[in-house]
Amino acid sequence: MDFELKKLGLNGLDEKRPLVIAGPCSAETEEQVMDTARQLAAKGVKIFRAGVWKPRTKPGGFEGHGEIALPWLQRVKQELGMLITTEVATPKHVEAALSAGVDLLWVGARTTANPFAMQELADSLKGVDVPVLVKNPVNPDIELWIGALQRIYGAGIKRLGAIHRGFSSVDQKLYRNVPLWHIPIELHRRYPNLPIICDPSHIGGRRDLIAPLCQQAMDMGFEGLIVESHCNPDCAWSDAKQQVTPDVLDFILDRLVIRDNIELTESLSSLRKQIDEMDDQLLDLLTKRMRVSREIAKYKKEHNMGVVQTQRYAEILDKRCAQGSLCGMNPDFVRRIYEFIHEESVRQQMEIINK
């Protein structure tokens, strides 16, 4: 199913790229909300975000004030003319947010991962005309993400978008949630009319990573950014390390380079033709390699040998990763390529041996 989408259609916005949504992780106090909103409005931000309901990993943390905080967002809208948005996770959240005049809803990563919760949200949105953004699920499952989007779309929501906020990983080195850019790129390939917004705050988890992540998102053609911004980040009640002041956010946005999608020049077309020719050669070489693998399988079968030779596989990985590094390639990239090649080689050898 393709999405026959309208633009997000937010009143008062021309939706030039990038669309910017900013505000604190949590609506902590009315004073904090208004102070942050005033500073952001002065910097030209048109859409104010704040978490009213905050799902926390463990009990005991600040989980938001709930409906008590909605009048604070209403005040932002009334006094500053900003559009307001918050996260919803249940039908009750949807009802309360819409009753308060919230202009844009987003669905969090934990909710996206639960098809039952997504269907309940979709049912509560039937007959409503409001823009909805759906974050990727916590785990790197594009089908789960698409399924969540389809449920909302099936409820009649045509102003629909996706938020890329990165994916959980046990191997946390640099990012709080690894970006895995190929997943939103694949989402865009399948649904080119679907706006994708980047959430650098949750991907990076650190203030110093927000600027480069924003630029990466723009380089990849994302429609906009949703950034956590707080009047006093160090004192934030939640996710303090990943929030920036409105001044810092303005500095980041002012230095973004927005690259246009222009028609192909003759030089670029020529270079792409070379890539296509080399891809043909790569596939031809892989075909020949698999042919040799099948011959090896016949030999193994005749001599009652096991399919996987662990020592040989380790030698290939070590040698090719080192070789790739000398050629200026990331060893992890080379390793992943050969892991996939080995997986397909084993599959084809198993077919031969089990005949």
Side-chain angles (χ1 to χ4, degrees):
M1 179 182 74
D2 197 3
F3 298 122
E4 296 176 3
L5 296 168
K6 299 185 288 187
K7 278 192 171 267
L8 292 178
L10 294 161
N11 294 331
L13 295 183
D14 56 13
E15 295 193 40
K16 286 183 179 178
R17 184 167 166 261
L19 179 74
V20 177
I21 303 169
C25 173
S26 304
E28 301 163 0
T29 66
E30 186 172 7
E31 181 183 8
Q32 169 250 7
V33 166
M34 292 306 301
D35 189 6
T36 306
R38 287 192 190 99
Q39 292 185 48
L40 289 170
K43 302 297 183 183
V45 174
K46 304 295 185 184
I47 310 175
F48 181 79
R49 59 142 290 156
V52 172
W53 300 278
K54 296 299 299 179
R56 312 310 297 168
T57 302
K58 295 179 180 178
F62 176 60
E63 297 184 338
H65 291 294
E67 293 185 34
I68 294 173
L70 289 173
W72 308 342
L73 299 189
Q74 287 178 309
R75 186 179 167 194
V76 169
K77 185 174 183 177
Q78 292 163 1
E79 295 186 14
L80 302 173
M82 301 178 81
L83 301 176
I84 53 175
T85 177
T86 195
E87 177 180 346
V88 292
T90 70
K92 286 186 177 180
H93 294 171
V94 171
E95 181 182 1
L98 294 179
S99 296
V102 172
D103 300 286
L104 171 68
L105 306 176
W106 86 77
V107 180
R110 292 176 176 86
T111 308
T112 303
N114 184 339
F116 294 110
M118 285 305 307
Q119 190 57 56
E120 288 181 357
L121 282 180
D123 292 341
S124 70
L125 287 164
K126 286 181 179 177
V128 176
D129 182 20
V130 62
V132 178
L133 301 175
V134 179
K135 288 195 174 186
N136 61 258
V138 290
N139 50 314
D141 186 341
I142 190 172
E143 302 304 334
L144 195 58
W145 196 3
I146 290 172
L149 288 158
Q150 288 177 335
R151 289 178 191 277
I152 300 298
Y153 181 79
I157 299 294
K158 296 298 189 292
R159 293 190 286 165
L160 183 63
I163 297 177
H164 171 229
R165 50 80 75 192
F167 302 88
S168 294
S169 171
V170 294
D171 186 22
Q172 293 180 336
K173 294 181 179 178
L174 178 60
Y175 301 108
R176 177 182 178 184
N177 294 289
V178 290
L180 300 182
W181 296 104
H182 65 281
I183 293 180
I185 288 172
E186 173 61 13
L187 181 67
H188 180 67
R189 185 191 71 80
R190 295 197 205 180
Y191 303 103
N193 295 327
L194 181 72
I196 302 181
I197 311 296
C198 182
D199 179 351
S201 305
H202 279 89
I203 292 175
R206 290 177 8 207
R207 293 170 205 161
D208 60 307
L209 295 176
I210 291 176
L213 286 166
C214 286
Q215 186 59 62
Q216 282 182 277
M218 292 300 97
D219 292 344
M220 294 186 188
F222 282 28
E223 293 293 325
L225 304 164
I226 179 168
V227 186
E228 292 187 348
S229 180
H230 193 292
C231 57
N232 189 358
D234 289 331
C235 296
W237 296 5
S238 58
D239 288 345
K241 293 181 180 180
Q242 66 189 42
Q243 301 191 64
V244 295
T245 65
D247 282 339
V248 170
L249 176 61
D250 185 56
F251 180 86
I252 292 170
L253 296 176
D254 187 54
R255 282 154 182 77
L256 281 181
V257 178
I258 310 301
R259 308 187 194 282
D260 296 323
N261 292 321
I262 60 176
E263 293 185 9
L264 294 182
T265 64
E266 186 176 341
S267 296
L268 185 56
S269 295
S270 174
L271 291 170
R272 286 186 171 180
K273 184 178 179 182
Q274 291 180 48
I275 290 289
D276 290 340
E277 290 172 354
M278 285 183 274
D279 283 342
D280 290 339
Q281 294 170 18
L282 281 172
L283 284 172
D284 184 54
L285 284 172
L286 283 172
T287 300
K288 292 176 180 177
R289 193 185 194 283
M290 292 304 162
R291 190 178 299 131
V292 174
S293 288
R294 290 194 294 273
E295 290 300 317
I296 290 174
K298 292 176 183 177
Y299 180 90
K300 289 178 178 177
K301 184 175 183 179
E302 290 172 1
H303 294 80
N304 198 31
M305 295 174 63
V307 172
V308 179
Q309 306 294 313
T310 307
Q311 184 175 352
R312 166 65 176 164
Y313 178 43
E315 288 173 358
I316 290 174
L317 286 180
D318 291 343
K319 181 178 180 180
R320 298 311 175 197
C321 287
Q323 189 177 355
S325 182
L326 291 173
C327 294
M329 287 181 282
N330 187 320
D332 289 337
F333 163 72
V334 177
R335 176 177 293 274
R336 287 198 299 270
I337 288 176
Y338 274 91
E339 285 173 349
F340 281 121
I341 290 174
H342 182 259
E343 181 181 341
E344 176 61 17
S345 179
V346 168
R347 187 191 68 80
Q348 294 203 19
Q349 289 194 24
M350 289 293 290
E351 285 184 354
I352 297 293
I353 286 179
N354 290 325
K355 279 185 178 178

